[in-house]
């Protein structure tokens, strides 16, 4: 099917070509109802203007968009530092867009179509449906996902190795002698949380320990729910309660530590706690949190390099790492995580041998 032109959109919308042009240029001369109608026709027909040509006409060819779920998200600043380190030396500038859970990507794409300023998009995805971005990418606007919660979407992406990170966290606890290790989960609709839980289970089984379902608690990244589920864990008899907790995020780990203190348990003397992310506050709480570090700054750098390579920058980036191109044509990079050892984990306390439904070392 031939690519639609402005003339085609004008005919489908029942307006003049100049009106469509005014809509694309965000002109105040177009009344809001007409603007919404024309944009709806564009979306319905999956029309994407020639971003390169439009930007060239405006003298704005060196702009990329960065979409984030909210400026308060702990990883956004670190990812942005990495992105800026690349864009500043490439001559590109960043336009920041926000897309919270209350606003879907459809309205955001309307804004992008209207402004026609950016040559590509970096997207830190949260809970938004990604199909509009997939279509936008297939229609000609380069899109790269950063730290996406859905690793299977058909878009170029940069993510952390959540499965291996979980294995590393569990190996650390197992080496400290812990066998009854609880897992307080994040949102299990997220691929990252599924990978972390899979790593938790595989690490136990590799160590010859049968996982105990009672030691897995949903947390959904909600502090009140995390504290309630953690209180259930710490209310178990001493020989049945966990001696360590693997939390699916640092914020989850903080809530677990609060519940432990409320139960009169000391961290790490009575219960060790390990998190995931290594956000800035992880080193500041007491005791400082042992955690799995996601390389947010480097993820931002690599995502920006991937996007600029897709755009085709005029000047090659120095020291840009090679991309990994899978069979479907969408490069995906999974970056390694690191164990950051602090004071929230210690040797397993001496308790009576666990029995019954508890996690126990299998006997040969």
């Amino acid at each position: 099917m031939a690519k639609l032109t402005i003339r085609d959109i004008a005919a489908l919308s029942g307006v003049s070509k100049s009106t469509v042009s005014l809509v694309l240029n965000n002109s105040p001369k177009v009344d809001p109802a007409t603007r919404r109608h024309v944009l709806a026709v564009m979306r319905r027909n999956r029309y994407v203007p020639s971003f390169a040509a439009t930007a060239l006409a405006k003298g704005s060819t060196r702009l990329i968009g960065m979409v984030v779920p909210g400026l308060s998200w702990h990883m956004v600043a670190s990812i942005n530092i990495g992105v800026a380190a690349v864009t500043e030396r490439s001559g590109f500038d960043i336009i920041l867009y926000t897309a919270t859970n209350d606003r879907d990507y459809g309205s955001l794409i309307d804004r992008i179509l209207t402004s026609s300023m950016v040559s590509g998009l970096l997207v830190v995805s949260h809970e938004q449906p990604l199909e509009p971005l997939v279509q936008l990418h297939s229609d000609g606007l380069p899109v790269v996902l950063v730290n996406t919660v859905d690793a299977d979407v058909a878009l170029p992406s940069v993510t952390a190795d959540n499965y291996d990170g979980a294995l590393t966290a569990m190996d650390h606890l197992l080496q400290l002698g812990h066998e009854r290790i609880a897992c307080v989960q994040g949102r299990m609709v997220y691929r990252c949380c599924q990978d972390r839980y899979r790593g938790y289970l595989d690490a136990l089984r590799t160590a010859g320990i049968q996982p105990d379902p009672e030691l897995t608690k949903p947390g959904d990244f909600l502090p009140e729910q995390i504290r309630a589920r953690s209180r259930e864990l710490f209310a178990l008899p001493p020989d049945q309660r966990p001696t360590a907790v693997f939390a699916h995020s640092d914020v989850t780990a903080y809530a677990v530590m609060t519940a432990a203190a409320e139960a009169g348990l000391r961290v790490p003397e009575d219960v060790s706690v390990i998190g995931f992310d290594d956000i800035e506050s992880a080193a500041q709480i007491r005791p400082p949190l042992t955690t799995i570090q996601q390389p947010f700054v480097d993820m931002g750098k690599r995502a920006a390099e991937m996007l600029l390579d897709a755009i085709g920058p005029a000047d090659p980036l120095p020291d840009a790492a090679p991309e990994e191109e899978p069979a479907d044509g969408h490069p995906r990079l999974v970056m390694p995580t690191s164990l950051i050892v602090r004071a929230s984990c210690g040797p397993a306390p001496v308790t009576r041998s666990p029995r019954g439904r508890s996690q126990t070392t299998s006997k040969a």
Side-chain angles (χ1 to χ4, degrees):
M1 181 177 179
K3 184 176 178 64
L4 294 177
T5 65
I6 290 180
R7 190 183 303 277
D8 297 323
I9 295 300
L12 291 168
S13 304
V15 300
S16 67
K17 180 181 173 182
S18 61
T19 298
V20 176
S21 180
L22 289 172
V23 169
L24 288 172
N25 286 281
N26 202 22
S27 171
K29 296 179 181 180
V30 183
D31 70 87
T34 300
R35 183 188 309 280
R36 287 194 297 270
H37 172 62
V38 173
L39 288 173
V41 170
M42 289 180 184
R43 290 189 60 198
R44 189 160 53 246
N45 291 276
R46 298 178 177 177
Y47 170 75
V48 178
S50 174
F51 291 95
T54 304
L56 184 62
K58 291 184 173 186
S60 304
T61 60
R62 310 294 284 181
L63 296 173
I64 63 172
M66 184 170 176
V67 182
V68 299
L71 298 179
S72 61
W73 268 49
H74 58 263
M75 85 282 289
V76 168
S78 296
I79 291 174
N80 192 47
I81 288 171
V83 172
V86 172
T87 57
E88 286 173 0
R89 59 196 175 111
S90 70
F92 274 76
D93 292 316
I94 301 170
I95 299 176
L96 194 64
Y97 299 91
T98 57
T100 64
N101 290 343
D102 299 326
R103 185 178 194 175
D104 64 26
Y105 282 140
S107 60
L108 173 64
I109 291 173
D110 283 348
R111 292 168 59 196
I112 294 170
L113 285 169
T114 300
S115 65
S116 301
M117 288 192 301
V118 300
S119 298
L121 280 181
L122 291 171
V123 182
V124 181
S125 178
H126 183 205
E127 296 184 4
Q128 302 284 5
L130 298 177
E131 288 78 10
L133 296 177
V134 174
Q135 187 59 54
L136 195 63
H137 181 73
S138 65
D139 284 341
L141 182 68
V143 178
V144 175
L145 299 178
V146 192
N147 199 43
T148 177
V149 297
D150 186 351
D152 296 324
V153 70
L155 286 170
S157 63
V158 178
T159 60
D161 194 334
N162 292 283
Y163 175 76
D164 188 69
L167 290 178
T168 300
M170 290 296 293
D171 184 64
H172 180 66
L173 295 174
L174 291 164
Q175 288 189 22
L176 289 170
H178 295 279
E179 293 183 2
R180 289 190 57 76
I181 304 171
C183 179
V184 180
Q185 300 170 325
R187 297 206 65 185
M188 292 306 290
V189 296
Y190 293 169
R191 174 66 179 270
C192 61
C193 294
Q194 295 169 13
D195 287 346
R196 291 172 196 178
Y197 187 53
R198 186 164 54 90
Y200 163 81
L201 294 175
D202 286 353
L204 287 174
R205 290 166 179 150
T206 299
I209 300 173
Q210 182 62 37
D212 182 353
E214 288 189 359
L215 296 186
T216 293
K217 297 292 182 180
D220 209 27
F221 295 133
L222 300 174
E224 285 300 328
Q225 183 175 357
I226 297 163
R227 287 194 291 271
R229 300 291 82 79
S230 299
R231 283 192 286 267
E232 294 173 2
L233 290 171
F234 300 140
L236 292 170
D239 64 332
Q240 296 180 26
R241 71 178 178 230
T243 64
V245 178
F246 169 46
H248 273 194
S249 75
D250 290 349
V251 174
T252 298
Y254 299 166
V256 171
M257 292 166 73
T258 298
E262 292 171 350
L265 299 176
R266 301 164 299 165
V267 176
E269 291 85 356
D270 300 314
V271 59
S272 292
V273 180
I274 190 167
F276 206 110
D277 287 333
D278 194 32
I279 61 179
E280 185 175 355
S281 57
Q284 309 305 321
I285 65 167
R286 292 292 177 267
L289 182 66
T290 295
T291 186
I292 298 298
Q293 182 186 75
Q294 294 200 66
F296 292 124
V297 173
D298 287 340
M299 288 164 67
K301 289 180 180 178
R302 291 302 305 274
E305 291 171 353
M306 192 180 292
L307 182 67
L308 293 182
D309 185 65
I311 293 170
D315 302 314
L317 287 170
D319 306 321
E323 296 177 3
E324 301 169 13
E325 189 82 17
D328 64 4
H330 300 296
R332 297 186 180 95
L333 177 62
V334 179
M335 300 190 67
T337 57
S338 304
L339 174 67
I340 305 299
V341 177
R342 299 192 180 101
S344 68
C345 291
V350 178
T351 60
R352 292 191 295 115
S353 298
R355 297 176 181 175
R357 295 188 301 271
S358 302
Q359 286 172 318
T360 59
T361 304
S362 300
K363 301 298 183 181

